[in-house]
Amino acid sequence: MKTYALIAVHIVFAILLFSMSCSNPVKDKLQGNWTSKDGKTKLKVTDKGFALDNNAEVPEQYFLKGDTIYTSFEGNQPYTKFVIQKLETNRLTIQDPDSQVIEFTR
């Protein structure tokens, strides 16, 4: 009986560790509506779309690799790179492809 209890405990912890490792906390923190400090630039990030302005009719697809956001319009290459310099719950600082640093708040 003790063996079954130990096996059950190990299975539960394995499932818990696996589920935590498959989630992406950076992507979860990144999602939402952001506004630049000067109020000129809006950023909307969903689970599949990245739109840098409100005028963007179709958001670009994106994926994360480390601290870099790679975007592409409908999967076309080359990818546009945005480097995340700082990401907190209500603050985001990114470096755009032109090496400009943009600070956003929610």
Side-chain angles (χ1 to χ4, degrees), residues 1 4-5 10-11 13 16 19 21-23 33 35-36 45 48-49 56 59 62-64 68 71 89 94 96 103:
M1 186 67 173
Y4 292 120
H10 282 85
I11 290 173
F13 279 114
L16 181 65
S19 66
S21 68
C22 290
S23 66
N33 294 322
T35 306
S36 65
V45 182
K48 296 185 181 190
Y62 76 99
F63 64 92
L64 291 169
T68 306
T71 65
T89 306
I94 62 172
D96 69 2
E103 295 183 23

Side-chain angles (χ1 to χ4, degrees), residues 25-44:
V26 172
K27 193 169 187 176
D28 294 340
K29 274 187 179 180
L30 186 63
Q31 292 179 10
N33 294 322
W34 299 89
T35 306
S36 65
K37 279 193 169 184
D38 60 5
K40 294 180 181 178
T41 307
K42 307 273 188 210
L43 174 64
K44 182 177 182 179

Side-chain angles (χ1 to χ4, degrees), residues 41-55:
T41 307
K42 307 273 188 210
L43 174 64
K44 182 177 182 179
V45 182
T46 62
D47 59 340
K48 296 185 181 190
F50 183 94
L52 194 55
D53 282 322
N54 285 344
N55 300 334

Side-chain angles (χ1 to χ4, degrees), residues 1-11:
M1 186 67 173
K2 289 182 180 180
T3 338
Y4 292 120
L6 285 174
I7 291 172
V9 168
H10 282 85
I11 290 173

